Amino acid sequence: MTVHSPSLMPGALDGIRVIDMTDESCVYATRILCDLGAEVIRVEPPEGDPMRKITPVDPETGASAFYAYMNTNKRAVTLDIDTDAGRDLFRKLVGSADMVVESTEPGRLAELDIDHDAFASTHPALVWTSITSFGRSGPYARWKADDLISQAMGGFMTLSGLPEREPLRLAGEQTSFIAGLHAASAALMALWHSLVSGEGQHIDMSIHEAVSHTLESAIQVYTTEGRIRARLPRSSEAGVGVFPCTDGEIFVYANVGMIARSWDNIVKWMIAEGLEGADELAEPIWQDLNYRRTEEAREKAAKVIVQLTRNRSKYQIYDALQQRNILCAPVSKVGDLFNNPQLKFLDWFVDQPIGGKAATWPGPAFRMSETPRRRPGRIPGHGQDNEAIYGNLGEATPAKEEAL
Amino acid sequence: MNISVQKVETQPKQALTGIRVLDFTVGGAGPFATKALADNGAEVIKIETSTHYDFPRTMGPYAGGIKGVNRSAYFTNRNSSKLSVTLNLKNKDAVTAARKLVKHCDVVINNFRAGVLDKLGLGYQRLMEIRPDLIYVSMPLQGSGGPQATYSGVGHTLNVLSGIYGVTGYADGTLVGPGTNYPDHSVNPGHALVAIMGALIYRRRTGKGQYIEVSQLESTMNLLGPAIVGYSLTHENPGPVGNESDTDAPYGVFHCGNDVWIAIAVRTDEEWAGLARSAAGHPWATAAEHATREGRVANRAALKAGIAAWVEGQDPFVLMEKLQDAGVPAGVVQNARDLVERDPQIAARGNFVTVDHPEMGPVVYNGPPYVLSRTPPRIVCAPLIGEHNDSVFKDIVGLDDEEIARLRDVGAFD
C-alpha cells in the first residue's frame, strides 16, 4: 500500500486557520478550503459526528465515503458547546483562527454567546460565514430543510424529471456542492478584504438562494417573456436523446442554434452514409424548433440516428461524432468512469486507502501551477487531534466529561 | 412582484475593489464565475466580438420577446457589473490591444477549447512576459492534453460524460439526469472562483502569479466524489434513488393537484410526531409502529400511499406552512413564478434585484446568495456590446483618441 508524504509545494491558503462546524448541507465549503491549503479544524460533538454515518458506507470497515471525501486532510477535535468549559475552548479556538464556517441553526450560537457578534470587537479581522437553509433573516429563517427540500423550494426540481412523472431531485447531496462553493468563494472574497484592510465581517449565506441561482435562465424566462419553464421529455427535441450502442448507450445532443452546428453535421453524415430516412432531415422544417419538439419529429430523427449508433461501441460512436463536431457523450455508470480514456491519460484518479482498505478518489477539481491542491490523505478520527490542537492553544486536554 | 429595487445610496466599499480581470469567457460556466467577481467589486472587462456573438446574446429569453444582441436576459444575468469591449481577435491590431490591456490586469480568464488563445499569442507563457505576476485561468472542457482534449461539449453533455446522468433518475431505474446545463451554473464557475481567490491570496503573500486550469470534466466529476470513492470501496454501482431516502421515511414528493407537488422529509422521530399531529385522525398518522424510524422505513410503501391520499387536493402553500410550523421539513416544489411572485423569503431578503437597462428597461437579476456585512455585493447593469471600448482603452491603457479611431477603422473593435 502506498503511503504518500505531504506535498512539498505550498498551498494557496497556507497559514490560514479555519474552524469548521458545517453539516452535510454545505460541508464542501470547508473541503475546498482544505484543498487550497488552509488548516481546517473540524469541531465535532462529543457524542460523535452524524456525518460519519452518511452513505455510501463501506459495510466491511464502516467508513463513510461521504465523510472521507468531505473531510480528508482536516483535523478533528471534539467539543461540547453546551458546557462552559466547551465554550471556553471554542472561544480560544476561534481566537486562533482566521475564518469560521458554520451551519448551526440560526440563533443557536447567539444564545450561547459564541456567535460572530461575540468575537467582532476582540477579533476584528475574523471572517465568519454562517450557512443556513434560508438565510438568517426573513419569515423562513427558522424553517427546516435538507437537500430534498432545498432542491424543491429553490426551483430546481421543477426543471428535472419527466413531465408525466414527479419532479426529480439530483442525486448525491448536490446542495452541499452548490451552497458550499458559493460559501467558500464569498468567504475567500471576505478573507481577501480582511487581508487588505484588516477588516473582517460576517457572511449570511442562504442555501435557498444558492439553489434559485442555479436555474439556468428560468427566472429570466419568466420575468421577460412570462413563460414558466417546466420539465421536458428526455428527448427534448429532434436529434437529442439517448441511443443504444453495442456495449451501452450514447447521449446525442444534435440540436440547432447552440455553439456547434451539431444537427447539420449529423444530418450531413447520415446522408453520406446513405441511412434510411436521412435525406428528409435536410429539409428546412428541421431548423424550426417548434417542429423539432413534436413527437413526430423526435421519433423520425431517432429512427435514423439509431442506425448510426446501434452497431458501434459507445466509445467508437463518441469518437466518430466528436470528430464530425457533433455534441455527444457516452452514458456512464459510476463504475464506468474509471475507464474514461481521457482521465486515464491525465492520470487523474488518486489511490489513497480509507480505513486500511484500498480506495480510489476523484483527482483535483482544478489544477494550480504554483499551489497544487492537497491530495487526499488522512481521514481524521473522532477527536483525533484534541491533544495536538488544544495543546498548542496552551490548554491541557480538559476532562472528557466536561468539555470534549 | 418579489423584486427589490436596489438602493443607490452612497456605495459602500466592496470586497474586490482594485482587482481587474480580463475576461474572454463565453456562454455560461465562465461568465458565471466572473460575474461573481464583478458583483463583488472587481473591474471585469469582458472581451467579445460582434463577428461571433457570445451565444447567450443571441439565445434569449429577450426583453418583451423581441430579439436583439442587447436584449437577452440570458446574457444579462451572467454578465452583470462587467464592462464590455469588442475585439476581433482575428485582427492583429486587436490582439496587440488585448496584450496592452493585460499589463493592467490581475487575472486573465478564458473557457475556449484547449490551445485557442495560445495560437493567438494570448497564452499564459506570452502574457506572463507582459505581466509576470499574472493569474491566468483556462477552463477547457477536458484538460489541455490527451486523446479527447479537443472534444466539444456543453453542460448537458457534461451531465452525461461526468456520470451525473447515470445516478439521477427514478427509483425504478429510469435515468433522467438534470434538466439544465447543470455544471455551468454550479461547480464549474464555483471551482474557478475559489481557485482565483486562492491564487490572489497566494500572490499577496509571495508576489507570484500562476496558471490555473479548470478542466470542466474534472471539476464536474467532483460532484460525484462520495459516489466515486464509495464505488471504489464496494464495487457496487449506485442506482438512481429518485426522491426517496435509504434511511428515512416518509421522504419524497407528493402531489397536491395540477402538477403542483410538495416535498416532505421526515428524518427524526420528533419530525414524525409533528407530521402525525398535523394529520391527526388518519390511521397512518396514529399507527404506533410508525413512531420509530425502523417502523416507518419497514412500512414505507403503505405510509407513502397514506400521505399521498392525505396531501392530494390540499393547498400546497398552506400545507407547507402548517408542516413547517409543526417542525416538519416540507417545501413546495416551486417554479419560477412562485419564486418571483410569491416566495416571501426571497422578497424579504431582496435576493432578486431589478436594474434598469437602456434597451431592455427593468431587468431582473439573481443576486448573490449571500450577504456580506461590510462589503455588500452590488448588481450593476450588464453592458451593451462594446459599450466600454473607448473608456477602457483611454482610461486604462492610455491610448489617445487618434489611436482609438484608427483601431476602429481597421476593424479591431468589430
Side-chain angles (χ1 to χ4, degrees):
Chain A
M1 195 172 291
T2 331
V3 176
H4 296 282
S5 61
S7 171
L8 301 176
M9 298 286 283
L13 300 182
D14 275 356
I16 300 295
R17 177 175 273 195
V18 181
I19 306 303
D20 172 18
M21 284 211 293
T22 58
D23 64 13
E24 69 273 19
S25 71
C26 57
V27 61
Y28 192 63
T30 49
R31 151 77 202 250
I32 212 78
L33 297 176
C34 194
D35 273 12
L36 284 165
E39 181 194 28
V40 178
I41 302 174
R42 186 165 174 80
V43 174
E44 303 182 338
E47 66 274 18
D49 185 345
M51 197 185 291
R52 293 180 184 271
K53 297 193 172 116
I54 292 181
T55 54
V57 169
D58 180 17
E60 278 179 36
T61 62
S64 158
F66 185 91
Y67 184 90
Y69 176 81
M70 292 295 186
N71 296 294
T72 182
N73 292 315
K74 292 180 188 174
R75 312 186 83 185
V77 298
T78 54
L79 187 155
D80 184 355
I81 56 171
D82 289 321
T83 65
D84 285 338
R87 285 191 293 275
D88 276 349
L89 260 184
F90 183 73
R91 288 189 187 98
K92 290 201 171 93
L93 261 185
V94 172
S96 74
D98 305 281
M99 306 168 86
V100 175
V101 186
E102 53 92 7
S103 61
T104 56
E105 279 169 60
R108 167 136 167 85
L109 297 182
E111 281 160 23
L112 299 171
D113 196 28
I114 51 170
D115 65 339
H116 176 251
D117 287 350
F119 296 93
S121 57
T122 49
H123 300 83
L126 187 64
V127 171
W128 186 300
T129 306
S130 300
I131 307 165
T132 52
S133 294
F134 296 96
R136 304 213 315 170
S137 61
Y140 296 171
R142 289 183 182 256
W143 279 22
K144 286 182 174 180
D146 71 349
D147 184 56
L148 176 72
I149 306 296
S150 292
Q151 289 196 40
M153 287 187 72
F156 202 85
M157 286 177 72
T158 53
L159 305 177
S160 293
L162 301 174
E164 66 278 16
R165 297 185 66 175
E166 65 188 50
L168 186 65
R169 83 170 147 170
L170 301 196
E173 207 68 41
Q174 290 301 312
T175 50
S176 191
F177 295 91
I178 298 170
L181 280 166
H182 277 294
S185 59
L188 288 175
M189 290 183 212
L191 178 65
W192 170 262
H193 178 72
S194 173
L195 294 171
V196 169
S197 68
E199 181 182 68
Q201 58 185 315
H202 180 257
I203 297 165
D204 171 6
M205 160 87 206
S206 158
I207 296 172
H208 182 48
E209 291 169 7
V211 174
S212 75
H213 204 279
T214 311
L215 307 181
E216 223 157 57
S217 295
I219 298 296
Q220 286 70 34
V221 165
Y222 179 72
T223 55
T224 57
E225 298 185 351
R227 285 184 292 122
I228 298 171
R229 259 191 68 172
R231 314 191 289 286
L232 291 171
R234 243 197 316 181
S235 160
S236 53
E237 67 174 270
V240 174
V242 171
F243 297 91
C245 308
T246 54
D247 59 347
E249 293 177 313
I250 180 100
F251 173 67
V252 178
Y253 197 60
N255 63 350
V256 291
M258 275 190 99
I259 43 177
R261 300 294 300 167
S262 292
W263 171 256
D264 298 349
N265 293 339
I266 199 171
V267 170
K268 207 159 83 185
W269 185 30
M270 294 190 299
I271 291 173
E273 294 274 307
L275 301 183
E276 190 188 334
D279 288 335
E280 191 191 327
L281 305 181
E283 287 168 16
I285 193 174
W286 291 91
Q287 299 295 326
D288 173 4
L289 190 56
N290 289 326
Y291 176 67
R292 298 177 65 81
R293 285 185 176 152
T294 63
E295 202 172 324
E296 176 196 292
R298 289 187 273 129
E299 281 179 8
K300 266 191 186 172
K303 274 185 188 156
V304 191
I305 295 171
V306 74
Q307 298 171 55
L308 277 184
T309 65
R310 67 185 171 207
N311 297 320
R312 290 177 165 93
S313 75
K314 63 183 181 182
Y315 275 104
Q316 279 169 346
I317 187 72
Y318 178 47
D319 291 339
L321 290 166
Q322 284 284 354
Q323 280 151 15
R324 290 167 178 82
N325 219 356
I326 299 154
L327 294 172
C328 64
V331 172
S332 299
K333 293 203 161 102
V334 172
D336 303 328
L337 297 170
F338 299 91
N339 302 318
N340 179 310
Q342 177 70 4
L343 294 171
K344 275 188 174 172
F345 176 90
L346 295 169
D347 196 18
W348 183 68
F349 288 99
V350 177
D351 291 324
Q352 172 69 20
I354 298 174
K357 188 171 167 183
T360 304
W361 298 61
F366 46 83
R367 300 168 188 249
M368 300 176 74
S369 63
E370 296 293 315
T371 57
R373 75 117 186 208
R374 220 177 248 172
R375 52 170 293 134
R378 186 188 76 147
I379 320 298
H382 181 65
Q384 187 175 350
D385 299 305
N386 283 353
E387 281 184 30
I389 299 285
Y390 294 143
N392 280 338
L393 290 177
E395 286 289 313
T397 308
K400 201 171 180 174
E401 62 276 14
E402 208 188 342
L404 299 182
Chain B
M1 291 235 289
N2 230 349
I3 308 295
S4 330
V5 175
Q6 206 163 234
K7 288 183 213 114
V8 185
E9 45 202 40
T10 44
Q11 291 296 351
K13 56 193 174 285
Q14 292 195 274
L16 302 182
T17 303
I19 300 293
R20 189 175 285 142
V21 180
L22 193 59
D23 179 9
F24 290 96
T25 65
V26 298
F32 238 52
T34 51
K35 165 194 161 68
L37 298 172
D39 291 343
N40 282 285
E43 186 177 58
V44 175
I45 304 167
K46 181 177 178 78
I47 304 295
E48 352 181 26
T49 171
S50 39
T51 62
H52 189 88
Y53 294 114
D54 183 13
F55 65 84
R57 282 199 184 271
T58 61
M59 284 191 67
Y62 299 104
I66 304 161
K67 281 192 176 184
V69 295
N70 289 318
R71 300 193 61 83
S72 165
Y74 182 2
F75 178 85
T76 51
N77 200 45
R78 284 155 182 73
N79 292 286
S80 55
S81 314
K82 301 179 189 175
L83 308 177
S84 167
V85 164
T86 46
L87 286 178
N88 177 9
L89 296 173
K90 289 181 180 144
N91 179 310
K92 279 194 176 144
D93 285 317
V95 173
T96 308
R99 291 168 57 84
K100 281 184 184 155
L101 255 177
V102 168
K103 192 173 169 202
H104 305 276
C105 290
D106 303 281
V107 179
V108 170
I109 178 168
N110 81 88
N111 61 347
F112 294 127
R113 277 195 218 185
V116 168
L117 280 190
D118 301 73
K119 281 183 198 138
L120 293 169
L122 296 168
Y124 177 56
Q125 296 300 335
R126 295 293 306 281
L127 297 191
M128 211 176 47
E129 295 162 9
I130 301 170
R131 173 90 192 210
D133 66 350
L134 184 66
I135 293 163
Y136 187 102
V137 188
S138 286
M139 299 176 69
L141 187 73
Q142 304 199 43
S144 49
Q148 293 160 3
T150 59
Y151 285 10
S152 328
V154 295
H156 275 297
T157 54
L158 206 44
N159 284 334
V160 176
L161 188 62
S162 66
I164 296 175
Y165 172 87
V167 296
T168 298
Y170 295 102
D172 63 10
T174 307
L175 294 178
V176 181
T180 66
N181 291 284
Y182 174 57
D184 291 354
H185 311 100
S186 54
V187 272
N188 292 340
H191 282 140
L193 258 182
V194 295
I196 291 167
M197 290 314 306
L200 281 168
I201 289 163
Y202 179 72
R203 191 190 70 173
R204 183 177 165 80
R205 200 165 72 242
T206 63
K208 288 184 190 168
Q210 60 181 309
Y211 177 77
I212 297 169
E213 184 174 287
V214 185
S215 153
Q216 298 193 42
L217 177 62
E218 296 176 354
S219 161
T220 302
M221 279 183 59
N222 270 277
L223 286 178
L224 290 181
I228 289 170
V229 173
Y231 178 90
S232 80
L233 291 168
T234 63
H235 300 284
E236 277 172 30
N237 272 313
V241 294
N243 299 316
E244 314 277 314
S245 157
D246 296 344
T247 48
D248 297 307
Y251 196 99
V253 300
F254 299 89
H255 188 242
C256 300
N258 297 319
D259 199 31
V260 178
W261 303 73
I262 188 169
I264 299 174
V266 171
R267 302 156 306 169
T268 64
D269 294 345
E270 293 74 37
E271 290 170 357
W272 165 256
L275 176 62
R277 271 198 315 279
S278 307
H282 290 268
W284 56 265
T286 46
E289 67 265 31
H290 292 161
T292 66
R293 178 203 305 260
E294 291 71 28
R296 294 191 297 274
V297 170
N299 227 354
R300 69 165 79 220
L303 194 49
K304 187 176 173 181
I307 295 173
W310 175 64
V311 167
E312 185 73 45
Q314 292 205 51
D315 179 307
F317 292 100
V318 172
L319 180 59
M320 168 171 78
E321 301 234 356
K322 180 173 159 185
L323 290 176
Q324 285 281 0
D325 285 346
V328 182
V332 175
V333 178
Q334 299 198 99
N335 63 26
R337 183 177 58 200
D338 298 326
L339 288 164
V340 171
E341 306 275 4
R342 195 204 153 276
D343 188 321
Q345 181 68 10
I346 296 274
R349 289 171 60 85
N351 187 236
F352 296 163
V353 180
T354 298
V355 181
D356 270 328
H357 182 281
E359 288 195 25
M360 301 168 74
V363 175
V364 176
Y365 294 82
N366 291 79
Y370 43 76
V371 178
L372 271 64
S373 61
R374 302 249 183 191
T375 59
R378 176 160 47 99
I379 304 268
V380 178
C381 179
L384 305 174
I385 188 157
E387 183 179 347
H388 303 95
N389 287 355
D390 287 17
S391 59
V392 162
F393 283 102
K394 207 169 184 173
D395 302 342
I396 298 175
V397 183
L399 300 186
D400 58 24
D401 292 343
E402 204 181 326
E403 175 62 5
I404 289 172
R406 189 191 71 79
L407 286 172
R408 184 170 292 113
D409 289 346
V410 299
F413 291 158
D414 285 357

